[in-house]
C-alpha cells in the first residue's frame, strides 16, 4: 500500500493567505509511475466533495474543519457557471458563491484543493451548471466548439481563471489539480472540444496537474493525451482498469467519484447506500493503493431552484435536499460513517498528523408551531409585479425579455390568453415542466410530461374567459445530449381543439429576492380555514440569540416553495420522499423572522418544525452491485 508523506499536508501559514507574498514551490502534484508525488515525495489523495453553493457560507469553515479532522487531506469542489454569470457579462463572486473565500478557508483548515471549473460540472444541478441564457441562441450546441458556446466560455474563463490561478500550488496556494470538464465521454458531441477546454485553461495560467473524469463505459472517449484520466464508480469493470493502463500506462488510480448513494427525485423512494459495502470497498481500494474522492463528503441543499433533473426513466426532478447519505448530513452533523472512516484514517496514518479534534456537533431545534398565518392569492399579487410581456405566440422562459434581456432562468411563468370556445386543450409536449390550468381563477387541472390533454368546459354565461397556465420549471436536465433542448415554460404552441392559441400576456415569476421583497399591498388576510392556491402565505418566527437551525415540516402542505427572510429555501412537494426542508441557523435573525410560502394547491393552517431531518422512506441500494472493485 502506498503511504502518505505526512510532511506534505498544507501548512496554515501566511503563504496561503497572501498570494502576492508567496514563496514559489518547485514541484506540484505529479504522476510518478504508479503513485502520486507532491514536491517529489509519495502522496495519496484522500479527498471529499463539498460544493460551496450548497452550504451556507457561515458553515463553510466548520464543514472544512470536520473534513480535515476526519483524516482527509484534499477538498474537491465544483464551480457553477450559471450562478457566477446569471446574465451575460454580469459576474458574481461574493456572498454564498465567494469561491476565493471558500478556497482560502480550505487552505486555513489544512486541505489541498482539486478544482472542477467546468464549464460543465454536472453535479445534478440545473443544466449541469451551464447558464440557461445560452439557450437563447437557436443554433446553440452546448459542450462543443460551436463559436456561440466557446465565445461565452472564453468570457467566463477570463473572469474565473484570473481569480483562481494565483491560488495554485506552485504559487503557494492550495490548488494541486484542476479537472477538465466532467464526464465528457458520455456526451462526446465534438471530438475537438476537450482539447479546446484544456487550452482554455492552460492559456489562462493553469499549470497544475490536469485531470479528466469519466465512468468506466466512457473512459476512452473522455480522456485527453497527457492528461490524467480518473474514473467515476459507475460502470466499473475489470476492463476499465485495462483501459486505464492502455491510455496512460502504470499510473496511479484515482477514484474521482466514490459514492455511498445517489440523489433523490420527487415521487420516488429515497436512495441510500449500504454502509457496510462502502467500508469494505474503501478498505479494498486502500489495499490496492488507490486514491479516492468521496462524493459527497457533505451534500448540503439545493437552495433556491438549482436542482436539476434526470431522464433515464422519464423526467425526474431532483429534490431540494442533497443529503446524498454523505459523511456529514445536510445540516453538517456527523454520521456513523464519518466516525468509522475517521477511525480508519486515524489507525492508517500517524495520529499526530491529522488534528483529530472533532468540532462540536450542530445544535438544531424544533420551534413552536406557527398558528397565525396570513395569505394573499397570486391573482391579488399580479397587479403589483413588474409589467408583463406581450406576445402573439407563447415564449419560453429563456426567450422572455427579462433579466437584462437574458431570459428567465428559474421559477414559474404565468401565461394568460382569452378563450371564447371550449374543448380539449392540447399541449403537444410544449409544457415544460408542469402547468396548472385555470379559467379565470377556477382550477381546471395539470398538463405535464405525462398528461398533454385537458377538457376545457367554459362558463357559457360569459362571452369569454381568461385561460391561465402557471408553468413551473422543475429543473433542467443535468446530463445527456438532450440538455440542448432544455427550454422551459411554454416552448411551442398550445392548442384549443386544433387551433393554436394567440395573444399572450406573460408574467415572469422567478421567485427570486426581487419578487419576494417587492412592496406588496397591505391586504394580507388572516388564515381561518383552508385556502386554495396558488397563494402566498406569510408568518413570523421568533428565534433566540444566537438563532438555531431547524427543519420545516411540510406535512399538511401540498406543493410549493419556502422563503426565509426573503431568501429562497427551496421546493417542497407532498409526493415525497422529502418531508422536511432545512433552515440554516445563519439564515435566521435573533428576534422576528419572516417565513413565506408559495403554495400551488392548498395551504395548511399551521407551520410545524422539527430538529431532525425527515427525508422519506428509504430504498437501500447495494453499492457492491456497481462492481467498483474487481
Amino acid at each position: 500500500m502506498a503511504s502518505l508523506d505526512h510532511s506534505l499536508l498544507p501548512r496554515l501559514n501566511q503563504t496561503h493567505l497572501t498570494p502576492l507574498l508567496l514563496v514559489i514551490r518547485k514541484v506540484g502534484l505529479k504522476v510518478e509511475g504508479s503513485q502520486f508525488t507532491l514536491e517529489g515525495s509519495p502522496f495519496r489523495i484522500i479527498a471529499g466533495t463539498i460544493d460551496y453553493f450548497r452550504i451556507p457560507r457561515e458553515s463553510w469553515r466548520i464543514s472544512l474543519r470536520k473534513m480535515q479532522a476526519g483524516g482527509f487531506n484534499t477538498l474537491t469542489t465544483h464551480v457553477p457557471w450559471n450562478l457566477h454569470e446569471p446574465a451575460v457579462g454580469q459576474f458574481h463572486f461574493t456572498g454564498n458563491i465567494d469561491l476565493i473565500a471558500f478556497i482560502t478557508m480550505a487552505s486555513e483548515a489544512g486541505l489541498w484543493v482539486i478544482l472542477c471549473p467546468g464549464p460543465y460540472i454536472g453535479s445534478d444541478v440545473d443544466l449541469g451548471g451551464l447558464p440557461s441564457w445560452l439557450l437563447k441562441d437557436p443554433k446553440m450546441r452546448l459542450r462543443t466548439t460551436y463559436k456561440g458556446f466557446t465565445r461565452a466560455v472564453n468570457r467566463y474563463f477570463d473572469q474565473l481563471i484570473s481569480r483562481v490561478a494565483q491560488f495554485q500550488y506552485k504559487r503557494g496556494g492550495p490548488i494541486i489539480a484542476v479537472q477538465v470538464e466532467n464526464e465528457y465521454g458520455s456526451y462526446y458531441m465534438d471530438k475537438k472540444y476537450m482539447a479546446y477546454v484544456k487550452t482554455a485553461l492552460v492559456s489562462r495560467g493553469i499549470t497544475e496537474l490536469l485531470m479528466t473524469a469519466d465512468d468506466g463505459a466512457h473512459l476512452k472517449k473522455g480522456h485527453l493525451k497527457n492528461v490524467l484520466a480518473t474514473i467515476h464508480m459507475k460502470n466499473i469493470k475489470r476492463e476499465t482498469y485495462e483501459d486505464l493502463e492502455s491510455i496512460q500506462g502504470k499510473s496511479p488510480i484515482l477514484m474521482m467519484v466514490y459514492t455511498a448513494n445517489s440523489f433523490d427525485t420527487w415521487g420516488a423512494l429515497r436512495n441510500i447506500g449500504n454502509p457496510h459495502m462502502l467500508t469494505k470497498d474503501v478498505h479494498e481500494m486502500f489495499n490496492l493503493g488507490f486514491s479516492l474522492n468521496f462524493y459527497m463528503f457533505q451534500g448540503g441543499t439545493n437552495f433556491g431552484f438549482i436542482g436539476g433533473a434526470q431522464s433515464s426513466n422519464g423526467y425526474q426532478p431532483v429534490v431540494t435536499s442533497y443529503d446524498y447519505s454523505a459523511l456529514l448530513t445536510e445540516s453538517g452533523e456527523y454520521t456513523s460513517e464519518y466516525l468509522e472512516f475517521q477511525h480508519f484514517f486515524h489507525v492508517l496514518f500517524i495520529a499526530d498528523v491529522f488534528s483529530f479534534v472533532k468540532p462540536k456537533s450542530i445544535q438544531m431545534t424544533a420551534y413552536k408551531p406557527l398558528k397565525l398565518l396570513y395569505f394573499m392569492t397570486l391573482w391579488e399579487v399580479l397587479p403589483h409585479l413588474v409589467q408583463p410581456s406581450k406576445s402573439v405566440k407563447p415564449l419560453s422562459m429563456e426567450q422572455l425579455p427579462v433579466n437584462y434581456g437574458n431570459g428567465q432562468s428559474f421559477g414559474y411563468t404565468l401565461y394568460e390568453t382569452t378563450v371564447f370556445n371550449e374543448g380539449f386543450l392540447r399541449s403537444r409536449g410544449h409544457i415544460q415542466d408542469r402547468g396548472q390550468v385555470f379559467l379565470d381563477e377556477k382550477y381546471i387541472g395539470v398538463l405535464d410530461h405525462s398528461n398533454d390533454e385537458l377538457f376545457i368546459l367554459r362558463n357559457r354565461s360569459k362571452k369569454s374567459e381568461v385561460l391561465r397556465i402557471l408553468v413551473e420549471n422543475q429543473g433542467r436536465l443535468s446530463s445527456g445530449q438532450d440538455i440542448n433542448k432544455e427550454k422551459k415554460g411554454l416552448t411551442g404552441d398550445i392548442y384549443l381543439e386544433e387551433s393554436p392559441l394567440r395573444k399572450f400576456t406573460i408574467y415572469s415569476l422567478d421567485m427570486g429576492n426581487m419578487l419576494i421583497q417587492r412592496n406588496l399591498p397591505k391586504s394580507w388576510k388572516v388564515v381561518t380555514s383552508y385556502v386554495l392556491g396558488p397563494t402566498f402565505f406569510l408568518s413570523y418566527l421568533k428565534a433566540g440569540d444566537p438563532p438555531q437551525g431547524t427543519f420545516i415540516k411540510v406535512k399538511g402542505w401540498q406543493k410549493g416553495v419556502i422563503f426565509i427572510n426573503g431568501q429562497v429555501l427551496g421546493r417542497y412537494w407532498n409526493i415525497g420522499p422529502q418531508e422536511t426542508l432545512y433552515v440554516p441557523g445563519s439564515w435566521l435573525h435573533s428576534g422576528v423572522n419572516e417565513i413565506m410560502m408559495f403554495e400551488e394547491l392548498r395551504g395548511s393552517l399551521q407551520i410545524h418544525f422539527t430538529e431532525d431531518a425527515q427525508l422519506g422512506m428509504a430504498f437501500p441500494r447495494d453499492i457492491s452491485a456497481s462492481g467498483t472493485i474487481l
Side-chain angles (χ1 to χ4, degrees):
M1 181 189 305
S3 62
L4 178 67
D5 186 330
H6 307 297
S7 67
L8 293 178
L9 287 175
R11 307 290 199 273
L12 308 186
N13 58 33
Q14 195 68 10
T15 61
H16 287 302
L17 305 180
T18 54
L20 296 179
L21 302 175
L22 299 178
V23 175
I24 302 299
R25 298 165 180 163
K26 294 182 180 180
V27 184
L29 184 68
K30 294 190 68 176
V31 172
E32 299 286 352
S34 61
Q35 67 180 1
F36 291 109
T37 62
L38 188 60
E39 206 60 46
S41 297
F43 180 77
R44 174 175 289 183
I45 298 169
I46 309 172
T49 299
I50 301 178
D51 287 331
Y52 54 101
F53 53 91
R54 285 183 166 123
I55 310 292
R57 178 175 178 145
E58 294 79 5
S59 301
W60 287 352
R61 195 176 300 277
I62 192 168
S63 291
L64 293 167
R65 285 178 55 208
K66 288 178 177 179
M67 176 177 279
Q68 192 270 346
F72 291 74
N73 59 25
T74 304
L75 161 75
T76 299
T77 196
H78 298 88
V79 184
W81 181 4
N82 55 356
L83 299 186
H84 286 293
E85 193 184 4
V88 175
Q90 296 186 20
F91 297 95
H92 300 276
F93 290 90
T94 60
N96 219 84
I97 52 173
D98 190 340
L99 173 61
I100 299 308
F102 188 63
I103 291 173
T104 301
M105 289 183 195
S107 178
E108 293 170 352
L111 296 166
W112 301 115
V113 174
I114 296 176
L115 189 68
C116 304
Y120 167 88
I121 61 171
S123 203
D124 308 318
V125 299
D126 185 277
L127 208 62
L130 300 174
S132 62
W133 47 257
L134 289 167
L135 298 174
K136 286 176 63 69
D137 180 350
K139 298 179 181 179
M140 177 56 63
R141 296 178 69 242
L142 301 173
R143 304 178 71 191
T144 70
T145 53
Y146 170 66
K147 288 184 178 180
F149 185 70
T150 58
R151 188 183 306 116
V153 173
N154 289 337
R155 182 181 57 246
Y156 169 56
F157 271 11
D158 284 344
Q159 294 288 326
L160 173 63
I161 305 306
S162 65
R163 286 172 165 83
V164 301
Q166 61 186 321
F167 290 91
Q168 295 178 93
Y169 176 86
K170 295 187 194 71
R171 301 192 193 183
I175 298 174
I176 57 173
V178 175
Q179 184 173 296
V180 182
E181 244 267 355
N182 187 58
E183 289 192 323
Y184 195 72
S186 61
Y187 189 78
Y188 203 66
M189 290 185 66
D190 186 338
K191 63 182 180 180
K192 298 179 180 179
Y193 173 70
M194 287 293 280
Y196 155 73
V197 177
K198 176 185 175 182
T199 300
L201 294 169
V202 172
S203 65
R204 289 169 174 82
I206 295 299
T207 59
E208 302 302 332
L209 182 69
L210 296 177
M211 301 175 170
T212 59
D214 289 280
D215 68 32
H218 304 98
L219 185 64
K220 285 189 173 182
K221 283 186 176 180
H223 90 283
L224 275 169
K225 187 177 181 180
N226 298 323
V227 173
L228 180 72
T230 71
I231 50 177
H232 290 187
M233 64 175 285
K234 186 179 179 183
N235 297 319
I236 298 294
K237 300 178 180 178
R238 188 179 303 278
E239 292 78 9
T240 302
Y241 303 107
E242 295 172 355
D243 288 343
L244 266 178
E245 185 171 351
S246 69
I247 289 170
Q248 57 199 20
K250 291 285 187 181
S251 64
I253 294 176
L254 169 56
M255 187 67 70
M256 191 59 184
V257 169
Y258 190 73
T259 181
N261 192 18
S262 180
F263 55 85
D264 294 328
T265 57
W266 291 114
L269 292 176
R270 184 187 178 201
N271 287 298
I272 61 170
N274 182 330
H276 300 294
M277 288 306 304
L278 174 67
T279 303
K280 175 181 177 294
D281 282 354
V282 170
H283 284 222
E284 189 170 353
M285 280 193 283
F286 268 79
N287 289 334
L288 292 170
F290 286 19
S291 288
L292 77 157
N293 176 65
F294 279 76
Y295 187 96
M296 304 285 293
F297 177 81
Q298 183 181 359
T301 308
N302 287 316
F303 291 123
F305 301 96
I306 63 172
Q310 68 168 359
S311 60
S312 58
N313 187 26
Y315 176 80
Q316 296 176 302
V318 176
V319 303
T320 298
S321 171
Y322 203 65
D323 181 87
Y324 221 94
S325 293
L327 301 188
L328 293 184
T329 67
E330 180 180 11
S331 60
E333 186 55 273
Y334 297 106
T335 64
S336 58
E337 288 77 25
Y338 172 96
L339 300 176
E340 185 165 350
F341 285 112
Q342 183 189 52
H343 176 73
F344 173 59
F345 296 140
H346 184 285
V347 172
L348 192 64
F349 304 115
I350 300 172
D352 291 342
V353 175
F354 296 115
S355 301
F356 283 101
V357 178
K358 196 172 68 171
K360 292 182 179 179
S361 296
I362 305 295
Q363 295 300 313
M364 306 293 287
T365 192
Y367 293 99
K368 293 181 179 179
L370 301 180
K371 299 181 180 180
L372 181 59
L373 277 64
Y374 304 89
F375 76 96
M376 189 184 308
T377 68
L378 173 62
W379 320 124
E380 294 171 313
V381 170
L382 287 180
H384 303 275
L385 301 180
V386 295
Q387 193 73 18
S389 304
K390 301 285 186 177
S391 177
V392 175
K393 294 184 178 183
L395 298 175
S396 71
M397 292 175 64
E398 297 79 8
Q399 295 172 311
L400 291 176
V402 298
N403 187 25
Y404 306 98
N406 291 273
Q408 182 181 340
S409 295
F410 307 115
Y412 300 77
T413 309
L414 177 66
Y415 298 83
E416 294 184 347
T417 188
T418 302
V419 293
F420 302 90
N421 303 313
E422 60 186 29
F424 281 99
L425 184 69
R426 297 184 171 95
S427 66
R428 298 188 181 179
H430 292 154
I431 288 187
Q432 303 294 324
D433 296 300
R434 186 175 188 271
Q436 292 186 76
V437 180
F438 302 84
L439 274 182
D440 289 337
E441 298 178 10
K442 180 184 176 183
Y443 174 76
I444 302 299
V446 171
L447 295 172
D448 57 17
H449 289 273
S450 60
N451 181 40
D452 62 1
E453 186 175 274
L454 278 176
F455 188 78
I456 302 298
L457 182 64
R458 285 210 44 245
N459 183 344
R460 297 182 182 179
S461 66
K462 296 181 179 181
K463 182 179 179 180
S464 64
E465 289 179 277
V466 176
L467 177 72
R468 290 164 158 161
I469 307 177
L470 180 63
V471 184
E472 178 195 11
N473 166 14
Q474 295 185 300
R476 296 178 182 84
L477 295 178
S478 57
S479 61
Q481 295 185 358
D482 285 344
I483 62 174
N484 288 283
K485 308 172 185 177
E486 276 298 88
K487 291 185 174 66
K488 297 297 183 180
L490 294 189
T491 61
D493 283 331
I494 302 296
Y495 295 82
L496 185 55
E497 291 296 333
E498 299 304 317
S499 299
L501 297 175
R502 292 292 181 256
K503 296 183 180 180
F504 285 87
T505 299
I506 307 172
Y507 293 86
S508 174
L509 307 174
D510 62 3
M511 296 298 171
N513 291 354
M514 291 299 291
L515 183 143
I516 298 305
Q517 294 173 359
R518 184 173 297 279
N519 291 326
L520 297 178
K522 306 297 183 182
S523 54
W524 291 91
K525 299 170 285 256
V526 175
V527 173
T528 57
S529 60
Y530 293 105
V531 179
L532 296 180
T535 297
F536 291 93
F537 291 83
L538 175 67
S539 193
Y540 298 95
L541 171 68
K542 189 172 183 180
D545 188 10
Q548 289 185 309
T550 189
F551 295 91
I552 294 178
K553 297 175 65 175
V554 292
K555 186 176 182 180
W557 298 82
Q558 306 295 305
K559 184 179 187 307
V561 185
I562 301 180
F563 311 85
I564 302 293
N565 293 323
Q567 296 191 76
V568 188
L569 195 64
R571 301 179 177 97
Y572 64 90
W573 197 354
N574 65 351
I575 65 173
Q578 184 175 353
E579 300 171 357
T580 57
L581 262 66
Y582 169 53
V583 182
S586 58
W587 283 30
L588 299 174
H589 312 312
S590 57
V592 177
N593 297 267
E594 179 184 275
I595 295 183
M596 189 180 292
M597 301 178 71
F598 176 65
E599 168 60 52
E600 298 179 30
L601 302 172
R602 190 187 80 156
S604 184
L605 303 179
Q606 297 182 13
I607 300 175
H608 292 268
F609 302 89
T610 178
E611 60 186 11
D612 300 309
Q614 297 170 10
L615 299 179
M617 294 180 60
F619 178 77
R621 185 171 68 95
D622 185 351
I623 63 174
S624 64
S626 65
T628 300
I629 306 298
L630 293 173

